[in-house]
């Protein structure tokens, strides 16, 4: 096969660049000198080309070059195409145009080569071709890069075979024009956060495991390749129980010209652990002293919900301030209210409890919450507070109670004019707080607050923690002047910063960026609508449904949920009046869901007497209709609006 001159020249250039990168010429000179010294006899005057090639082959240099060239052209490109997300470092003069690899950057190639000992699925039958089954999905986050594996059927030995190319040179570390050397990479303490999600046949997700993978052992490997087995532990009450094992392989690309000794790597990791442990110990000593001082103000403070530490999904106690950080949404969410709607659309699920005994505490790391697409009220509040901080607002997470003393978390923002606004992260509702006037008579009737909150124990964000030390912890009686230390006892910002600032400790989980939705709103709307039509037809035993012109109304409802502004109802009402003849009656039933399971939604709708009345309507000239509208948000979260409608001739 012949190549055009320009292609041949380009190929020669690629090979030359690769040989220079591997320092092949230097290695050939070393072999040549060694061969002449050891093998050239006194009667020989010169060394033949064949002798030199044999020496190079014997020392494995030719095999190394061929392997490296093969890796660049085939393996990386193949693995990148299978990765759902990969970092992009595009360079027009790059040798890897098709794979988006920047040859001036350093990459960590992480391969997941199968799993074993997932004993919960020991009896799982092998799925038949085309059969819907439960699946495992592995989600990764490393230095602002996120990846997701292909779903694999749940089994005792799940067939994970995915590769992820992680760019190590990120967030302005080092000189952008210089490749990171092993010493620089050794100082990068960010782990690879791995989250394993199980999705059942109904689309419901479950958090199986959350693991922080230390990758820097590869820096001490002679050939730049390390294989290891990772034991995944369960979450929550099962955090001490093994759920399975993954086979992991690390490889640096381009290969390291020089590696560190394993002793140096181990020493660095031990020093980091020691430094983190000391910072956490000092903060714990300070927190205990702060709590003693807080109780001295008023003994009744002991019963208030002042939450300084919270357990994550792995059962590790962390300061609550570490769960919040200013988070930018980029172009995915335009306004704070749209961010509140996004958080509201994420599903609500309390941490599972085995047996009785009340609520199980579990504050999830952000990656686990986003990958599972649902969580408890604290997870929602932490995410909403982080997003509002990212918009430049002064936002805090509030910890207190709702009616009947149920513990709850919500978000508060403080305006520059002193306005205090409560944001309910589970519903998206906003409430303006108006404290009771101290000058009014105690007998004077106070307006009943609209918000559902009863008491408040503390507020916090990424750099502040304040305990409520007012005589009453009732929300309606509280004054939210956070600078008044007679009302709010603050923690030292320096103490909080020592354990919660980015990079302060190696045990601090990094915050991942939000990902754009992968759901096609139009296609998903049509699919759900067709399924609902079939379900209604089955329920009505063969009655056909007509198309419904209710999409404008559903769009209006979603707009109102996002902005609290009602718009477009006049046009919808006028269209309905024109579509419904004189002497006929129109009934419509809109309902909202945050999941895309049509059968589950239909079963829920039938529990409403009004909806059942529409679906089961009998009479003269009855026409039924259904319309579905899906609105997508980041992380593939969806707001699903459904309207069932009927019109019939009124008979007096």
């Amino acid at each position: 096969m012949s190549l055009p001159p320009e292609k041949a020249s380009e190929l020669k250039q690629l090979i030359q660049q690769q040989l220079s990168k591997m320092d092949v010429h230097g290695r050939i000179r070393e072999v040549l000198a060694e061969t002449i010294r050891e093998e050239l006899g006194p009667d020989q005057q010169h060394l033949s080309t064949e002798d030199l090639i044999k020496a190079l082959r014997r020392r494995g240099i030719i095999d190394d070059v061929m392997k490296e060239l093969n890796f660049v052209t085939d393996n990386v490109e193949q693995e990148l195409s299978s990765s759902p997300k990969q970092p992009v470092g595009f360079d027009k003069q790059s040798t890897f145009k098709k794979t988006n690899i920047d040859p001036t950057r350093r990459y960590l190639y992480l391969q997941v080569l199968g799993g074993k000992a997932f004993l919960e699925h020991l009896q799982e039958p092998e799925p038949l071709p085309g059969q819907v089954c439960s699946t495992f999905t592995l989600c990764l986050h490393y230095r602002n890069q996120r990846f997701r594996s292909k779903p694999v059927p749940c089994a005792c030995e799940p067939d994970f075979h995915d590769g992820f190319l992680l760019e190590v040179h990120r967030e302005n570390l080092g000189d952008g024009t210089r490749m990171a050397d092993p010493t620089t990479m050794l100082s990068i303490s960010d782990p690879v956060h791995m989250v394993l999600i199980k999705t059942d046949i109904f689309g419901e997700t479950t958090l199986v495991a959350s693991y922080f993978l230390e990758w820097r052992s590869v820096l001490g490997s002679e050939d730049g390749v390390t294989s290891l087995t990772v034991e995944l532990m369960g979450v929550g009450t099962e955090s001490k129980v093994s759920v399975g094992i993954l086979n992991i392989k690390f490889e640096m690309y381009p290969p390291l010209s020089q590696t560190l000794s394993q002793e140096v790597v181990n020493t660095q990791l031990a020093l980091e652990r020691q430094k983190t442990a000391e910072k956490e110990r000092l903060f714990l000593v300070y927190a205990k002293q702060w709590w003693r001082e807080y109780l001295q103000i008023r003994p009744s403070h002991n019963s208030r919900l002042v939450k300084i530490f919270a357990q994550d999904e792995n059962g590790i106690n962390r300061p609550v301030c570490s769960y919040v950080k200013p988070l930018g949404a980029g172009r995915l969410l335009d306004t704070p209210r749209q961010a509140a709607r996004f958080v509201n659309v994420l599903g609500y699920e309390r941490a599972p409890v085995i047996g009785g005994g009340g609520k199980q505490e579990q504050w999830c790391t952000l990656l686990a919450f986003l990958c599972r697409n649902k969580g408890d009220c604290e997870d929602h509040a932490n995410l909403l507070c982080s997003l509002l901080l990212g918009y430049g607002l002064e936002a805090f997470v509030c910890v207190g109670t709702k009616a009947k003393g149920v513990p709850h978390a919500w978000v508060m923002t403080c305006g520059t004019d002193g306005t205090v606004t409560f944001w309910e992260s589970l519903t998206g509702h906003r409430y303006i707080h108006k404290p009771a006037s101290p000058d009014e008579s105690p007998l004077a009737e106070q307006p009943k607050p609209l918000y559902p909150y009863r008491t408040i124990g503390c507020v916090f964000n990424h750099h502040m923690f304040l305990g409520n030390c007012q005589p009453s912890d009732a929300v309606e009686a509280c004054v939210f002047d956070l600078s008044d230390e007679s009302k709010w006892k603050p923690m030292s910002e320096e103490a909080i910063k020592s354990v919660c600032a980015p990079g302060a400790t190696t045990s601090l989980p990094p915050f991942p960026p939000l990902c754009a939705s992968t759901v096609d709103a139009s296609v998903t709307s049509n699919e759900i609508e067709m399924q609902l039509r079939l379900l209604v037809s089955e329920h009505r035993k063969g009655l056909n449904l007509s198309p419904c012109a209710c999409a404008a109304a559903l769009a209006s409802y979603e707009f109102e949920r996002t902005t609290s502004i009602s718009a477009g109802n006049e046009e919808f009402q006028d269209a309905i009046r024109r579509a419904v003849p004189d002497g006929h009656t129109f009934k419509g039933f809109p309902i909202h869901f945050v999941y895309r399971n049509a059968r589950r939604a239909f079963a829920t709708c039938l529990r409403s007497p009004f909806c059942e009345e529409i679906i089961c309507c009998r009479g003269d000239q009855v026409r039924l209709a259904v319309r579905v509208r899906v609105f997508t948000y980041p992380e593939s979260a969806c707001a699903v609006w459904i309207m069932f409608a009927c019109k019939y001739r009124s008979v007096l």
Side-chain angles (χ1 to χ4, degrees):
M1 183 182 70
S2 61
L3 289 174
E6 64 274 8
K7 290 292 182 182
S9 174
E10 183 181 359
L11 182 59
K12 289 178 183 178
Q13 184 181 0
L14 299 185
I15 295 174
Q16 186 63 36
Q17 288 178 0
Q18 191 64 32
L19 295 177
S20 300
K21 193 180 303 174
M22 296 178 65
D23 194 23
V24 171
H25 300 295
R27 295 166 70 182
I28 290 176
R29 280 193 292 270
E30 292 175 6
V31 171
L32 181 60
E34 184 180 338
T35 304
I36 291 175
R37 186 171 58 252
E38 295 180 357
E39 300 181 9
L40 196 60
D43 55 335
Q44 290 180 277
Q45 299 299 317
H46 69 279
L47 189 69
S48 68
T49 305
E50 290 76 10
D51 293 333
L52 179 59
I53 291 177
K54 286 180 182 178
L56 292 174
R57 192 181 298 278
R58 191 163 56 246
R59 286 162 177 77
I61 294 178
I62 291 179
D63 290 338
D64 286 349
V65 172
M66 297 307 296
K67 177 183 174 184
E68 186 65 24
L69 290 172
N70 181 58
F71 173 83
V72 170
T73 54
D74 296 328
N75 202 5
V76 170
E77 185 171 349
Q78 175 185 349
E79 293 296 342
L80 269 176
S81 64
S82 67
S83 299
K85 282 185 177 293
Q86 56 268 11
V88 175
F90 188 80
D91 180 4
K92 288 184 179 178
Q93 302 303 319
S94 168
T95 60
F96 315 106
K97 293 180 181 178
K98 292 184 179 179
T99 57
N100 290 332
I101 296 179
D102 186 342
T104 65
R105 300 281 179 168
R106 186 74 72 184
Y107 294 90
L108 178 67
Y109 185 54
L110 186 156
Q111 290 175 279
V112 184
L113 303 174
K116 56 186 177 182
F118 285 78
L119 300 180
E120 187 176 335
H121 302 277
L122 188 60
Q123 304 297 328
E124 200 91 17
E126 188 171 340
L128 299 172
Q131 180 184 1
V132 178
C133 63
S134 299
T135 59
F136 283 138
T137 306
L138 195 62
C139 305
L140 277 69
H141 169 234
Y142 177 72
R143 298 183 72 75
N144 228 30
Q145 306 159 76
R146 287 180 61 184
F147 305 83
R148 181 182 290 264
S149 73
K150 297 184 291 290
V152 299
C154 293
C156 183
E157 297 185 357
D159 188 26
F160 287 111
H161 278 91
D162 275 292
F164 310 99
L165 201 64
L166 284 58
E167 186 179 334
V168 181
H169 218 174
R170 279 266 165 169
E171 298 177 4
N172 302 321
L173 265 181
D175 185 356
T177 62
R178 188 163 51 108
M179 188 175 294
D181 56 24
T183 306
T184 302
M185 290 189 288
L186 186 60
S187 67
I188 301 175
S189 60
D190 300 56
V192 179
H193 190 183
M194 305 170 64
V195 169
L196 183 62
I197 300 293
K198 177 183 176 181
T199 307
D200 67 16
I201 58 175
F202 304 107
E204 291 298 310
T205 56
T206 307
L207 177 62
V208 178
S210 175
Y211 187 85
F212 294 94
L213 180 62
E214 177 55 66
W215 58 272
R216 286 175 289 176
S217 60
V218 72
L219 300 177
S221 174
E222 291 185 3
D223 55 357
V225 179
T226 298
S227 297
L228 65 155
T229 57
V230 171
E231 183 179 18
L232 301 179
M233 309 302 284
V235 296
T237 55
E238 301 176 33
S239 59
K240 306 298 181 186
V241 180
S242 173
V243 295
I245 294 173
L246 292 179
N247 296 318
I248 304 290
K249 182 180 178 183
F250 284 129
E251 188 168 355
M252 294 305 303
Y253 180 79
L256 299 173
S257 56
Q258 60 178 16
T259 60
L260 305 173
S261 72
Q262 200 62 52
E263 184 180 355
V264 169
V265 175
N266 293 338
T267 302
Q268 172 71 15
L269 300 182
L271 287 173
E272 288 178 0
R273 286 193 294 268
Q274 183 181 350
K275 184 179 177 182
T276 294
E278 180 63 14
K279 285 185 177 182
E280 291 175 345
R281 186 189 69 80
L282 291 174
F283 181 77
L284 179 60
V285 171
Y286 170 76
K288 287 181 176 179
Q289 177 62 30
W290 183 92
W291 178 245
R292 283 194 294 269
E293 294 172 359
Y294 182 71
L295 292 182
Q296 288 172 0
I297 299 174
R298 200 173 285 108
S300 61
H301 286 178
N302 193 40
S303 62
R304 296 189 179 182
L305 276 177
V306 180
K307 194 78 177 164
I308 303 175
F309 295 91
Q311 283 191 354
D312 64 12
E313 66 265 24
N314 291 324
I316 298 173
N317 274 314
R318 297 201 283 116
V320 292
C321 295
S322 67
Y323 289 89
V324 175
K325 174 191 169 185
L327 182 64
R331 299 182 185 275
L332 301 178
L333 298 167
D334 296 322
T335 66
R337 296 196 185 190
Q338 196 175 14
R341 177 59 174 158
F342 156 61
V343 176
N344 153 228
V345 165
L346 293 171
Y348 169 64
E349 181 181 82
R350 296 177 63 176
V353 180
I354 300 176
K359 178 182 177 181
Q360 166 70 28
E361 179 187 77
Q362 180 178 302
W363 291 31
C364 282
T365 56
L366 183 56
L367 183 67
F369 176 40
L370 293 176
C371 294
R372 190 172 51 142
N373 252 195
K374 58 185 175 184
D376 213 332
C377 61
E378 293 88 358
D379 303 325
H380 287 78
N382 291 335
L383 175 56
L384 178 56
C385 183
S386 299
L387 288 168
L388 295 182
L389 288 168
Y391 284 106
L393 301 179
E394 187 180 14
F396 299 86
V397 175
C398 304
V399 179
T401 62
K402 293 194 298 184
K404 299 181 181 179
V406 177
H408 191 62
W410 66 97
V411 179
M412 172 184 75
T413 53
C414 302
T416 53
D417 58 354
T419 302
V420 173
T421 306
F422 294 144
W423 302 64
E424 177 48 61
S425 56
L426 296 180
T427 63
H429 294 160
R430 299 165 67 254
Y431 309 95
I432 304 297
H433 172 66
K434 295 180 180 178
S437 175
D439 301 327
E440 290 188 9
S441 168
L443 299 177
E445 186 178 352
Q446 298 287 347
K448 188 176 181 181
L450 299 176
Y451 46 77
Y453 318 120
R454 295 294 177 263
T455 65
I456 182 168
C458 64
V459 300
F460 67 88
N461 59 19
H462 60 300
H463 66 89
M464 294 177 68
F465 183 96
L466 303 109
N468 182 5
C469 54
Q470 299 173 63
S472 170
D473 62 350
V475 177
E476 58 189 35
C478 282
V479 176
F480 288 91
D481 180 5
L482 302 182
S483 61
D484 187 346
E485 294 191 11
S486 68
K487 295 181 172 62
W488 296 92
K489 178 174 174 55
M491 269 193 172
S492 162
E493 291 193 25
E494 286 300 316
I496 294 172
K497 187 178 178 182
S498 69
V499 290
C500 297
T505 65
T506 55
S507 63
L508 198 64
F511 269 51
L514 296 181
C515 285
S517 176
T518 59
V519 176
D520 188 315
S522 299
V523 171
T524 308
S525 299
N526 289 335
E527 289 176 351
I528 297 176
E529 189 171 306
M530 292 304 297
Q531 293 174 35
L532 286 174
R533 288 189 182 189
L534 290 172
L535 290 169
V536 173
S537 297
E538 290 175 7
H539 193 74
R540 288 293 302 262
K541 305 211 184 313
L543 181 68
N544 291 324
L545 275 75
S546 306
C548 176
C550 302
L554 300 180
S556 173
Y557 300 150
E558 180 63 19
F559 181 77
E560 185 175 355
R561 285 288 182 100
T562 305
T563 64
S564 302
I565 300 172
S566 179
N569 283 329
E570 298 82 2
E571 293 85 350
F572 169 64
Q573 292 173 7
D574 185 64
I576 291 299
R577 291 191 188 98
R578 292 178 178 278
V580 178
D582 291 340
H584 285 64
T585 300
F586 172 84
K587 288 183 180 180
F589 177 78
I591 190 169
H592 166 256
F593 298 99
V594 295
Y595 51 81
R596 305 192 294 274
N597 188 320
R599 190 172 292 275
R600 179 181 168 192
F602 185 64
T604 303
C605 292
L606 288 178
R607 294 195 198 108
S608 166
F610 190 75
C611 182
E612 187 179 25
E613 179 185 333
I614 291 175
I615 293 175
C616 300
C617 180
R618 304 284 179 182
D620 192 17
Q621 299 182 16
V622 174
R623 292 291 183 272
L624 288 182
V626 62
R627 190 64 168 170
V628 177
R629 183 75 164 84
V630 173
F631 299 87
T632 59
Y633 288 90
E635 301 297 328
S636 298
C638 292
V640 180
W641 283 95
I642 300 172
M643 179 176 279
F644 292 99
C646 72
K647 68 176 180 179
Y648 57 90
R649 185 176 180 182
S650 304
V651 179
L652 297 177

